[in-house]
Amino acid sequence: MLFNSFAFIFAFLPITLILFFVIARRSHYLAAAWLTLASLAFYGWWNPNYLLLLLLSIGFNFKIGKSIASIGAKSPTLARTILMAGVAANLSLLGYYKYLVFLVGNLNYVLDKPIPVPEIVLPLGISFFTFTQLAFLVDAYQGRAKEFRPLHYALFVTYFPHLIAGPVLHHHEMMSQFSRPAIYRLNWENLAVGLSIFFIGLFKKLLLADEIANYARPVFDAAAGGQALTLLDAWGGALAYTFQLYFDFSAYSDMAIGISLLFGVRLPLNFNSPYKATSIIEFWRRWHMTLSRFLRDYLYIPLGGSRKGAFRRYLNLLLTMVLGGAWHGANWTFILWGGLHGLYLVINHQWRDCGLRQWVMACVPAVIYDTFALLLTFMAVVVAWVLFRAENVNAAWLLLEGMAGRHGVVLPLHWQNGFGTFAESSFLQGVEFRNTETFNAGKEPIRILFCMVIVWLLPNTQQIMGRFKPALGLPEQSESPPAWWQWRPSGAWLGLIVTLAMLGILSLNEISEFIYFQF
């Protein structure tokens, strides 16, 4: 079931919410049970056949985690053995469903043998519920998982606002909330703030992400079909996808936080204006923040982190990002995307550690340095997104060649008059003026500029709602009076949110999945 669907907005969510608080008047336990059943129904709406797989995964990991915690102090060696067995079982399950077809296909190519490729349907959200439970097993081994009530654990894994596309949760940050009596009482402030955040997210998804996707899709489809793209087409498509992905993931993150707040539960912040980052290091502290946290805590640090010298530090960064790329999907494009970001991080750390950076920062005004750093970081991210979105490596290479101008420069025909006699100068030698199929000369640049204004000049949802602390891990807010753009219970804000809600609901005319559903 999609957050952006009539069935969810007008049936599933209100029924689940109302019955949760009605049942909670009699029993908190039954209310938690109802929310767990509703979450399972939410998951089963997509494909009921995989409900059993999810339930078996939950039962297995709960039993393993409880066993690890109970024997950890008595026999650390046995606890570690059980932990490794649990991790291996989870990774085997994920490997079978997500990577077996990819591995067999590559073996066929290398060995030139017709090994049958199995037909496997990827269970929805398997990467997220697997990583969530892997974190639980490690937390149980390290003594950070304190509560082992079966119902609360099942709710922790299946809780529908996060189940399909994150955030990746820690056991301790959710269990303490499920035990609080306050979440079982309707809170009107949570209701107002949660619905406001949800409808801001709905607007982002349908009016921003899905609209600009119409300009990204033809470009990437053309590259997948082997078509060489000219400079303007290639950059138009790459930038359109860059903002499509931004608003799509931002929308899902907002909607998940808003829905969860209706129940009084705060999810961790997962998205915080990543295109405002002035370095790749900062970008990964702002983009998919809970996945970055997971990769740091459960992969990078166990590999040795930065404790074993510069070479091992950089190698660990590269390995972590390559595996993070592979987590997104069984395709060489994702692996290369992760590797490229690993290389970015290595360069970024080297720049931070060298003396030249200090000299440049001393010589260049801060505003100029920060602006250049922001634009350089943004362009590096745009180039990497081409690999992330492309159907295959060849399509990505075609598009990157186009962005480099290897396939010529074509400008829209009606721009020729604007250039006047300059259009015939030697400076524009090799530039053609003609209409193209993939670049809409009127609307696409306006859309891209509009997205840039929103991304770089306007406050994000967390800043707008920050006074009400709708999520875990929000930056501290100052004690000064709220700015005019910060949300408050007022007629003006009610009118704005109702307008966004109506625009979003009126745009619910076709199925539009979130991009991160495929991971």
Side-chain angles (χ1 to χ4, degrees):
M1 190 181 299
L2 299 172
F3 290 168
N4 53 320
S5 65
F6 285 108
F8 180 84
I9 295 173
F10 295 107
F12 178 85
L13 182 59
I15 291 171
T16 302
L17 189 66
I18 291 169
L19 288 180
F20 174 75
F21 288 114
V22 169
I23 295 171
R25 291 181 179 180
R26 293 186 174 272
S27 168
H28 293 177
Y29 179 86
L30 291 178
W34 161 249
L35 192 52
T36 304
L37 288 173
S39 297
L40 290 170
F42 175 85
Y43 186 81
W45 183 276
W46 166 72
N47 189 338
N49 295 330
Y50 283 110
L51 266 177
L52 179 60
L53 177 70
L54 176 60
L55 290 170
L56 288 173
S57 176
I58 292 169
F60 171 81
N61 283 288
F62 177 75
K63 183 67 175 176
I64 292 292
K66 193 173 181 181
S67 299
I68 291 170
S70 64
I71 67 171
K74 303 172 189 175
S75 179
T77 302
L78 180 57
R80 182 177 178 80
T81 301
I82 296 174
L83 170 66
M84 298 307 294
V87 169
N90 278 280
L91 293 179
S92 296
L93 180 71
L94 186 62
Y96 172 78
Y97 280 103
K98 196 164 185 175
Y99 303 105
L100 183 60
V101 172
F102 174 70
L103 291 173
V104 171
N106 279 277
L107 279 174
N108 279 341
Y109 178 80
V110 172
L111 302 176
D112 196 23
K113 289 185 178 180
I115 304 173
V117 178
E119 293 184 8
I120 298 174
V121 177
L122 183 67
L124 199 61
I126 188 171
S127 296
F128 288 97
F129 70 71
T130 300
F131 270 32
T132 293
Q133 295 189 97
L134 284 173
F136 162 69
L137 295 183
V138 176
D139 287 350
Y141 176 74
Q142 295 177 345
R144 291 186 299 212
K146 303 295 184 183
E147 187 202 308
F148 294 93
R149 282 185 270 189
L151 177 61
H152 281 183
Y153 179 77
L155 180 56
F156 155 67
V157 178
T158 63
Y159 187 48
F160 73 89
H162 91 99
L163 177 60
I164 307 301
V168 180
L169 301 179
H170 275 313
H171 185 262
H172 63 86
E173 64 192 2
M174 301 306 294
M175 287 302 196
S176 58
Q177 296 193 70
F178 293 146
S179 300
R180 288 175 55 238
I183 75 165
Y184 298 96
R185 296 190 297 270
L186 180 62
N187 183 302
W188 292 103
E189 181 180 285
N190 286 344
L191 194 67
V193 175
L195 285 174
S196 297
I197 295 174
F198 175 82
F199 285 119
I200 289 172
L202 185 68
F203 177 85
K204 286 181 185 177
K205 169 61 178 169
L206 298 176
L207 278 301
L208 295 176
D210 287 356
E211 285 297 315
I212 203 164
N214 294 324
Y215 301 105
R217 191 179 304 111
V219 173
F220 283 91
D221 287 348
Q227 179 179 331
L229 294 156
T230 58
L231 183 75
L232 204 59
D233 286 337
W235 274 103
L239 287 170
Y241 180 71
T242 294
F243 290 111
Q244 177 200 353
L245 182 57
Y246 179 96
F247 287 113
D248 192 277
F249 193 33
S250 176
Y252 182 89
S253 300
D254 284 353
M255 294 168 85
I257 286 172
I259 293 164
S260 186
L261 192 62
L262 300 178
F263 296 90
V265 177
R266 284 167 167 78
L267 295 178
L269 185 62
N270 205 29
F271 191 94
N272 187 22
S273 295
Y275 292 168
K276 290 180 180 178
T278 55
S279 70
I280 292 294
I281 294 172
E282 186 187 357
F283 173 82
W284 279 105
R285 291 172 180 165
R286 291 170 171 263
W287 177 273
H288 211 325
M289 298 158 68
T290 57
L291 177 62
S292 297
R293 177 181 67 176
F294 180 94
L295 293 173
R296 180 198 66 204
D297 293 347
Y298 300 107
L299 188 56
Y300 175 70
I301 292 175
L303 284 171
S306 59
R307 302 187 303 272
K308 299 183 179 181
F311 176 78
R312 278 293 300 275
R313 176 194 196 184
Y314 299 145
L315 180 60
N316 291 339
L317 280 171
L318 284 168
L319 287 173
T320 299
M321 295 310 298
V322 167
L323 291 173
W327 174 87
H328 283 83
N331 194 320
W332 283 110
T333 54
F334 291 119
I335 294 171
L336 291 173
W337 169 79
L340 183 57
H341 267 280
L343 183 61
Y344 287 164
L345 286 170
V346 169
I347 295 171
N348 197 171
H349 278 286
Q350 288 181 324
W351 171 249
R352 285 194 171 188
D353 294 340
C354 76
L356 179 60
R357 175 175 178 264
Q358 305 303 323
W359 181 82
V360 171
M361 292 182 70
C363 296
V364 178
V367 64
I368 295 177
Y369 179 88
D370 289 343
T371 301
F372 178 78
L374 183 145
L375 292 175
L376 181 62
T377 301
F378 177 73
M379 297 308 291
V381 170
V382 172
V383 169
W385 283 143
V386 171
L387 286 165
F388 190 87
R389 170 62 174 83
E391 292 290 326
N392 51 57
V393 175
N394 289 335
W397 186 249
L398 267 178
L399 197 53
L400 290 172
E401 283 186 332
M403 293 167 69
R406 290 285 304 278
H407 303 301
V409 180
V410 175
L411 301 181
L413 186 61
H414 71 271
W415 287 14
Q416 189 170 13
N417 294 331
F419 280 93
T421 57
F422 185 68
E424 300 176 1
S425 69
S426 60
F427 183 77
L428 291 181
Q429 187 174 2
V431 175
E432 295 182 55
F433 288 90
R434 57 181 169 83
N435 288 326
T436 65
E437 296 180 2
T438 53
F439 183 79
N440 188 316
K443 294 182 179 179
E444 185 174 6
I446 295 173
R447 289 270 184 187
I448 290 173
L449 287 172
F450 182 62
C451 289
M452 287 179 174
V453 169
I454 295 174
V455 166
W456 283 328
L457 300 182
L458 297 186
N460 61 34
T461 308
Q462 289 72 45
Q463 292 169 319
I464 292 170
M465 297 291 183
R467 290 195 305 131
F468 298 89
K469 302 188 184 307
L472 302 176
L474 284 173
E476 288 295 326
Q477 295 279 329
S478 66
E479 298 298 327
S480 58
W484 64 267
W485 45 261
Q486 289 182 307
W487 188 94
R488 68 205 71 196
S490 66
W493 272 105
L494 176 63
L496 177 60
I497 296 301
V498 168
T499 300
L500 295 180
M502 292 303 297
L503 288 171
I505 290 169
L506 291 173
S507 301
L508 292 172
N509 50 16
E510 61 181 33
I511 295 175
S512 173
E513 291 187 353
F514 291 91
I515 292 173
Y516 263 77
F517 272 29
Q518 64 184 290
F519 308 134

